[in-house]
Amino acid sequence: MKNWAGNITFAAGELRRPRSVGELQELVGGSERVRVLGTGHSFNRIADTADTLVSVLDLPKTIEIAADRRSVRVAGGLRYGEVTAALQTDGLALHNLGSLPHISVAGACSTGTHGSGDTNGTLASAVVRIEYVGADGSLVAFDRSDPDFDGVVVALGALGVTTHLTLAVEPSYEIRQVVYDGLPVERLGASFDEVFASAYSVSAFTDWVDPEVMVWRKAKQIELEPEWLGARLADGARHPIKTMPADFATQQGGVPGPWNARLPHFRLEFTPSNGEELQSEYFLPRTQAAAAIDQMRALGHQMAPVIQVSELRTIAADTLWLSPSQGRDTVAFHFTWIQDETVVRPVVESVENALLPLGARPHWGKVFTADAATLRECYPKVPDFTNLATRLDPAGKFRNDYLNTYLPRG
């Protein structure tokens, strides 16, 4: 068994796929060690185990809209695209989405996955209640009234197997997506606030060598200006990687459409290819954006042989302990590399050496080289989280080599 990217071969001899919560409870309660696998979109061994690997993808596909229409309870194994289609049909929406609608809700929330937008929190920031199977096989639930809630949502699979999440929803809305070519890279840093405040969700794409940056702007209302901040309106559809065909990208050109068909970069009916990339991502205080851009430009020629594209996005602060945006408004520097970890890792180390002094936090589910001491400095709530995990899972049933390496207990 491999992950989505194909760079990780799981050590477990089999993947168990229970078809009911009761069956899952029995499985967890009777196992010595358990790790849960979502849609496999992590790029490191966060989900790996030599013991019991379990998937929740076959559990009943619950989508229950609350009577007050302010929240929806969903099965953790559902893909975002499945949830959002049902919400849109009912005239409801989530506040934001990631670039791929193919990822599972539980997996995305548990690792701090995000979209973009100055006022938009991570996907996990929409969670108002979480339900999971604990170490003894019992059902456990936390909501926002619980003092431990901020520690259990982005939990890296360390506390249990998530069965359901309740997400805050709002009335459906339309989004227009407009792409601009040729933003001068100097302008990206000098006008950072203006660029990222220009729409509800903004993504900037670069390889750190090309002097021109491509910017995707998604907004409820937006003008189709022929020129904007020195950039020009794209004359056709675009893929984030300039040389790739845009066949599977969501509709551009300012054509209005439902939020769930515009906020992701790719359409749900597109099946992402396997084994063609690795990913890293670093989350910095927004105040360090310009300095970080300068550092990445200086590394551009070192990155050139191994990078496919880099994406910049902004995320609003939240209070979730292991969230990459915990306690601060954030800018995320995402890197899509070629599928060769041997040559990628030295470059990742150089990127970290440049960004960690600026306060960068590595993404939990992607390729990084930081050690446990560094992560403890990056994520100030790590001690609180490891204490919580020790209390909720004293025997370490949900621990694996990844957690023992990067989040060791006292």
Side-chain angles (χ1 to χ4, degrees):
M1 293 180 294
K2 292 181 177 290
N3 64 338
W4 171 77
N7 68 309
I8 299 294
T9 299
F10 295 112
E14 64 174 337
L15 174 66
R16 302 288 298 275
R17 299 181 68 128
R19 303 184 67 85
S20 70
V21 173
E23 185 183 345
L24 174 62
Q25 289 180 262
E26 184 177 354
L27 172 61
V28 171
S31 299
E32 184 177 352
R33 292 284 187 272
V34 177
R35 288 298 287 174
V36 63
L37 178 67
T39 44
H41 279 76
S42 290
F43 293 80
N44 58 34
R45 295 194 173 275
I46 190 171
D48 196 21
T49 180
D51 298 288
T52 303
L53 190 61
V54 60
S55 168
V56 294
L57 299 184
D58 288 346
L59 293 183
K61 299 184 180 299
T62 306
I63 301 178
E64 300 170 347
I65 296 170
D68 63 6
R69 296 177 59 80
R70 296 175 62 184
S71 65
V72 60
R73 178 176 178 263
V74 303
L78 284 172
R79 297 180 300 165
Y80 266 96
E82 297 172 286
V83 173
T84 60
L87 289 176
Q88 173 60 21
T89 298
D90 218 296
L92 295 172
L94 298 174
H95 79 290
N96 206 2
L97 293 171
S99 60
L100 282 173
H102 309 77
I103 54 178
S104 69
V105 177
C109 290
S110 69
T111 54
T113 300
H114 61 96
S116 190
D118 287 358
T119 62
N120 297 324
T122 61
L123 303 187
S125 68
V127 177
V128 297
R129 190 172 190 267
I130 184 169
E131 303 165 47
Y132 66 85
V133 175
D136 62 357
S138 64
L139 289 174
V140 184
F142 290 86
D143 62 30
R144 287 181 176 176
S145 67
D146 194 292
D148 291 327
F149 179 80
D150 284 342
V152 302
V153 179
V154 182
L156 315 182
L159 306 181
V161 181
T162 300
T163 61
H164 296 87
L165 299 105
T166 302
L167 310 175
V169 297
E170 59 189 80
S172 178
Y173 50 90
E174 285 194 336
I175 290 286
R176 300 169 186 260
Q177 181 171 217
V178 180
V179 176
Y180 281 85
D181 295 326
L183 179 77
V185 68
E186 296 84 1
R187 196 74 182 264
L188 183 63
S191 303
F192 183 87
D193 288 342
E194 186 175 0
V195 169
F196 282 88
S198 69
Y200 184 78
S201 172
V202 176
S203 292
F205 296 96
T206 177
D207 64 5
W208 300 112
V209 175
D210 192 330
E212 294 188 340
V213 177
M214 179 170 54
V215 181
W216 293 27
R217 302 166 63 203
K218 306 168 191 266
K220 296 176 182 178
Q221 294 293 332
I222 195 166
E223 295 292 330
L224 295 181
E225 305 169 80
E227 295 188 5
W228 168 76
L229 296 181
R232 57 193 178 276
L233 185 66
D235 59 5
R238 297 288 187 266
H239 187 283
I241 301 173
K242 290 182 178 180
T243 57
M244 296 287 288
D247 300 1
F248 302 120
T250 47
Q251 179 73 55
Q252 301 164 18
V255 178
W259 59 284
N260 60 318
R262 296 293 183 274
L263 288 176
H265 295 333
F266 297 101
R267 304 197 309 266
L268 180 62
E269 59 269 28
F270 156 61
T271 301
S273 58
N274 294 344
E276 295 180 355
E277 64 188 62
L278 299 175
Q279 294 181 10
S280 300
E281 190 165 24
Y282 298 91
F283 303 83
L284 292 96
R286 181 169 173 140
T287 54
Q288 296 289 352
I293 288 169
D294 288 342
Q295 291 282 355
M296 294 303 93
R297 291 181 65 195
L299 290 175
H301 289 287
Q302 183 181 351
M303 286 190 271
V306 297
I307 196 170
Q308 296 192 50
V309 72
S310 182
E311 179 181 8
L312 275 67
R313 290 177 284 181
T314 55
I315 311 119
D318 62 51
T319 58
L320 306 175
W321 292 355
L322 295 188
S323 167
S325 301
Q326 186 273 328
R328 66 193 194 190
D329 290 332
T330 296
V331 54
F333 284 67
H334 184 278
F335 302 87
T336 299
W337 312 109
I338 63 172
Q339 218 317 3
D340 186 340
E341 196 156 352
T342 301
V343 296
V344 165
R345 275 200 167 270
V347 178
V348 170
E349 187 172 7
S350 294
V351 169
E352 287 187 15
N353 288 339
L355 295 183
L356 287 175
L358 300 178
R361 295 170 176 168
H363 190 295
W364 296 108
K366 300 188 179 180
V367 177
F368 61 85
T369 65
D371 59 15
T374 301
L375 291 171
R376 195 180 179 98
E377 292 180 7
C378 296
Y379 286 88
K381 291 291 188 177
V382 161
D384 295 319
F385 179 79
T386 53
N387 289 338
L388 177 65
T390 300
R391 173 158 53 88
L392 296 179
D393 179 22
K397 175 172 286 192
F398 299 108
R399 296 192 68 77
N400 63 353
D401 288 345
Y402 173 97
L403 292 175
N404 290 336
T405 299
Y406 298 114
L407 292 174
R409 292 186 174 178

